[in-house]
Amino acid sequence: MATTLKIGVNQLKIGMYVAQLDRPWLETPFLFQGFYIRDQDEIRDLQTYCDYVYILRENGSEMPAPEKHGGTADGSMTWRAAPQRKRWFRLPFFRWRGSRAKEKNDPEVQYTQPGMYYEETESVEKELKAATAIHDDAVVTVQEVMNNLRVSDKLDVQRLESAVTPMVNSILRNPAALSCLVRLQKKDDYLYHHSLASLIWATILGRHIGLNHRDLNVVALGALLLDVGKIRLPDALLHKPGKLNEEETEIMRRHVDFGIEILDETEDLDNRIREMVQYHHERYNGTGYPQGLRGSQVPVFGRIAGIVDAYDAMITPRPYAEPMSSYEAFRQLRALADVEFQAELIDQFTQAIGVFPTGTLIELNTGEVGVVTRQNRVRRLRPEIMVIMDREKQIMDTFSVLDLNKEKIDERGRQSVWIERGLAPGSFGIDPTEFFLD
């Protein structure tokens, strides 16, 4: 049986399991509730944000938590270090502690010059107007290109690029606009929606890690084409409402091979696009398909593709699964860090998208419900929200705007109001579209 022990943050050691903080979890950089301390950086973060924490103690044999080994002369404890996850293929290219990589020795990616950052040049409200038209045009273009591909077996890359470039430019101006918009779009055709959404998530991540404009167009087009091979699969299989059986799963997995066949028949295509299609179902620990590659055997753009593909599948309604909230999706991804996906890329993706992105529904600790209207670029867990339902979950007569970053009650930044949880799209019958689009 495990119990908790309250200790000061100056007593923390690597290997301890932090079960509870002295403040709401969402006010800290720690995304998930409960974790083993893996390094001194995590101890320093805890010391910055907390005065004390609750450590899990093991009184039985239930779990490999820190435990007391007898006593010492001064009554202090010694602790057994918790098992650490293996960190396969930890590449210097992704050793971030800020918003950019300190080392840039990976030949696959061209970086902007050190110190250069993409700045938001338009407000969300203004960019949404342009993004709406851009997204609508892209939907039409992608549908026409894919329908033509079914008939002619030829992929019109130039037409796709004509749709990709405006979307990349919009994301460079303000990534929140298309991020918000794609969450609000109707999802009648999962394949087209998923392709465009993957494009958006991949471009936002590429923007965040500093890819140059040319590489952003490459990663965007590659993400758009991740599932291009599915046009050669039976519609009945693609729209099956239940779980696929073993035979159906094997057929579904052939979409990767079909996608490569289509790309191999397309001239003048950047090889990294082919890599994204070929490797987006490979996993960091070697459990993916079709080749079972692991770690650095999967190219960087392929690793990016795998993350954005998985994330969008989690937050999108599918015939056999309800959508997760963005927050729950990031919890899931975090649990898979250094297992199925590279941990550093998960960290960067979380920062790029935001745990509670613009346009998502949230519930406050007060019971009120709101929609995120603006991100806080420094403290992403403290966005600006519009409160639209009271604690009884009734629509309010007058909506109020609340900047969570300003809701403090002491000099250490503790809040009186915070986000308790993220909500799945459509919760309480709310369509956030009306709060952003005319």
Side-chain angles (χ1 to χ4, degrees), residues 309-381:
D309 178 68
Y311 171 74
D312 190 69
M314 292 176 188
I315 66 172
T316 304
R318 288 170 287 170
Y320 54 89
E322 292 295 317
M324 296 182 183
S325 69
S326 183
Y327 175 68
E328 288 301 322
F330 277 116
R331 285 177 62 91
Q332 181 75 11
L333 287 174
R334 189 61 189 172
L336 296 173
D338 270 349
V339 180
E340 294 192 9
F341 304 106
Q342 186 175 3
E344 291 87 347
L345 270 179
I346 293 295
D347 291 341
Q348 293 303 303
F349 188 56
T350 304
Q351 292 181 31
I353 302 297
V355 181
F356 301 109
T358 301
T360 55
L361 295 172
I362 54 89
E363 183 174 358
L364 298 172
N365 63 310
T366 60
E368 297 166 304
V369 172
V371 57
V372 176
T373 55
R374 192 181 304 276
Q375 293 289 316
N376 183 320
R377 293 183 63 185
V378 177
R379 297 180 175 179
R380 291 184 176 270
L381 296 175

Side-chain angles (χ1 to χ4, degrees), residues 33 36 42 52 81 83 120 143 155 181 250 409 419:
Q33 301 182 20
Y36 287 107
E42 289 181 340
Y52 60 88
E120 295 176 4
Q143 288 178 333
L155 182 65
L181 184 65
E250 288 303 313
I409 60 175
I419 294 175

Side-chain angles (χ1 to χ4, degrees), residues 12-75:
L12 292 172
K13 300 179 184 295
I14 294 173
M16 291 182 174
Y17 185 90
V18 179
Q20 185 178 340
L21 308 181
D22 64 356
R23 61 191 302 173
W25 284 89
L26 293 180
E27 293 185 12
T28 72
F30 303 104
L31 183 57
F32 308 111
Q33 301 182 20
F35 63 92
Y36 287 107
I37 298 175
R38 297 181 299 178
D39 52 42
Q40 289 296 329
D41 287 332
E42 289 181 340
I43 291 178
R44 282 192 288 270
D45 285 340
L46 284 165
Q47 292 171 340
T48 298
Y49 286 87
C50 304
D51 293 322
Y52 60 88
V53 298
Y54 291 87
I55 298 299
L56 197 65
R57 295 180 60 192
E58 183 185 59
N59 293 334
S61 57
E62 297 177 356
M63 58 186 297
E67 81 179 50
K68 182 178 179 180
H69 291 283
T72 59
D74 61 359

Side-chain angles (χ1 to χ4, degrees), residues 366-426:
T366 60
E368 297 166 304
V369 172
V371 57
V372 176
T373 55
R374 192 181 304 276
Q375 293 289 316
N376 183 320
R377 293 183 63 185
V378 177
R379 297 180 175 179
R380 291 184 176 270
L381 296 175
R382 299 185 184 181
E384 176 187 277
I385 64 172
M386 181 181 294
V387 182
I388 58 179
M389 299 185 82
D390 60 26
R391 62 188 63 198
E392 282 76 38
K393 305 301 186 288
Q394 299 297 314
I395 295 291
M396 303 174 70
D397 295 329
T398 303
F399 303 145
S400 59
V401 176
L402 184 65
D403 186 347
L404 292 182
N405 194 42
K406 297 179 181 178
E407 293 297 308
K408 302 174 183 177
I409 60 175
D410 65 21
E411 70 282 356
R412 290 200 56 154
R414 291 181 174 84
Q415 294 176 279
S416 56
V417 180
W418 59 84
I419 294 175
E420 188 69 30
R421 64 189 179 111
L423 300 174

